[in-house]
């Protein structure tokens, strides 16, 4: 999917990110603040901000947050939320995660949460994050990760892409660490967190056909081996659910 197509896709679905429990209230939000330990004089950059939830959680702890996204409609949603929350030290700018329009050594903190699996060139994103950070600056990442088993990772990414055509690939934790250190960072901490997903709300977040929803349900229920161990599907009176795994990685320039 081209970047223009991604803009169109997320523009259509922007409003859903304002209310998505996974994005707005995920446990990784507060934990990321705890791991980063931001300082009040810092200037922060939040990449692929979507509805702005990561920018907003850091805003009380830093001097200013520049929240960026490739999709103007996302920035409009985030800006409206900031006004509702009376958050005044966050600004919103359109920017490509792989070609940031900022000078070298501009920020003390770069954050990016639940977005890089949409980026076609992860190495460029990490390189750009390194470039715009000041020496000693902090790079804080949260993203869904793949299982370590190669076949299960392929099947898991297929499962994600069937729902969301803008999905490129979730990396494994080992792949993330390799890319981050290769671009010059020193990894400070790596954690994982389980994320329980309600299948119904997960498939309804995007406009997909009923037949695709049925296929995804079958893929989930019929998973086996390492993939089933990773997704842990379960069904009860509350409906079908499964688990994803988030990695929280903090590194320093």
């Amino acid at each position: 999917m081209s970047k223009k197509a991604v803009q169109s896709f997320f523009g259509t679905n922007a409003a859903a990110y304002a209310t998505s429990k996974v994005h707005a209230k995920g446990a990784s939000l507060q934990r990321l603040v705890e791991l980063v330990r931001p300082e009040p004089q810092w200037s922060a950059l939040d990449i692929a901000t979507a509805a702005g939830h990561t920018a907003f959680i850091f805003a009380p702890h830093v001097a200013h947050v520049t929240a960026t996204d490739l999709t103007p409609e996302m920035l409009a949603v985030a800006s409206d939320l900031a006004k509702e929350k009376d958050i005044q030290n966050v600004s919103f700018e359109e920017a490509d995660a792989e070609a940031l329009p900022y000078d070298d050594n501009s920020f003390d903190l770069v954050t990016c949460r639940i977005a890089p699996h949409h980026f076609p060139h992860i190495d460029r994103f990490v390189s750009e994050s390194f470039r715009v950070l000041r020496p000693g600056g902090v790079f804080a990442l949260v993203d869904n990760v793949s299982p370590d088993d190669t076949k299960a990772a392929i099947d898991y990414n297929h499962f994600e892409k069937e729902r969301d055509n803008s999905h490129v690939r979730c990396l494994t934790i080992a792949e993330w660490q390799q890319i981050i250190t290769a671009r010059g960072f020193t990894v400070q901490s790596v954690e994982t967190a389980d994320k329980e997903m309600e299948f119904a709300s997960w498939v309804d977040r995007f406009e997909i056909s009923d037949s695709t929803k049925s296929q995804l349900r079958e893929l989930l229920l019929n998973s086996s081996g390492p993939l089933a161990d990773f997704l842990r599907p379960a069904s009860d009176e509350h409906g079908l659910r499964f688990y994803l795994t988030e990695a929280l990685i903090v590194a320093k320039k």
Side-chain angles (χ1 to χ4, degrees), residues 3-235:
K3 290 188 178 181
K4 284 191 176 295
V6 169
Q7 284 178 308
S8 176
F9 181 80
F10 280 101
T12 301
N13 295 284
Y17 281 78
T19 55
S20 165
K21 292 180 182 178
V22 170
H23 294 84
K25 299 180 180 180
S28 62
L29 272 173
Q30 186 57 48
R31 183 56 180 155
L32 200 63
V33 176
E34 293 169 357
L35 290 171
V36 168
R37 293 181 290 181
E39 298 184 12
Q41 74 276 13
W42 280 8
S43 175
L45 172 68
D46 187 40
I47 296 174
T49 197
H53 302 301
T54 305
F56 300 153
I57 199 75
F58 276 96
H61 305 284
V62 300
H64 186 265
V65 182
T66 302
T68 67
D69 205 279
L70 188 64
T71 306
E73 291 88 347
M74 283 290 194
L75 294 171
V77 168
S79 179
D80 287 344
L81 274 178
K83 291 173 185 175
E84 289 178 19
K85 295 173 179 288
D86 194 30
I87 298 173
Q88 300 180 13
N89 65 329
V90 178
S91 59
F92 302 92
E93 298 179 7
E94 189 174 337
D96 184 337
E98 298 174 359
L100 296 170
Y102 304 110
D103 293 338
D104 297 356
N105 309 317
S106 294
F107 298 96
D108 303 288
L109 171 66
V110 170
T111 59
C112 188
R113 178 174 172 267
I114 323 180
H117 56 272
H118 297 291
F119 301 164
H121 305 287
I122 293 287
D123 55 342
R124 295 181 192 174
F125 152 65
V126 178
S127 293
E128 281 290 271
S129 298
F130 186 88
R131 180 184 65 79
V132 301
L133 275 169
R134 299 184 177 109
V138 176
F139 175 58
L141 169 83
V142 177
D143 202 19
N144 301 337
V145 292
S146 290
D148 293 330
D149 181 87
T150 302
K151 176 64 164 57
I154 292 170
D155 291 342
Y156 165 61
N157 278 294
H158 170 72
F159 175 70
E160 290 278 12
K161 197 168 183 65
E162 281 293 296
R163 179 193 68 131
D164 174 6
N165 195 42
S166 72
H167 178 90
V168 177
R169 188 167 76 91
C170 290
L171 305 183
T172 65
I173 293 174
E175 287 176 315
W176 268 119
Q177 289 181 287
Q178 190 278 325
I179 291 172
I180 289 170
T181 56
R183 267 65 199 173
F185 285 108
T186 300
V187 174
Q188 303 289 300
S189 65
V190 179
E191 293 186 2
T192 60
D194 288 339
K195 182 164 60 176
E196 187 177 48
M197 309 296 293
E198 298 173 344
F199 178 81
S201 60
W202 181 75
V203 293
D204 287 342
R205 192 176 305 145
F206 300 123
E207 294 180 1
I208 58 177
S209 68
D210 288 341
S211 62
T212 300
K213 291 178 184 180
S214 295
Q215 289 171 15
L216 287 165
R217 179 180 288 272
E218 290 304 310
L219 284 169
L220 183 58
L221 291 173
N222 294 329
S223 62
S224 61
L227 180 62
D229 293 341
F230 181 76
L231 293 174
R232 288 170 284 164
S235 187

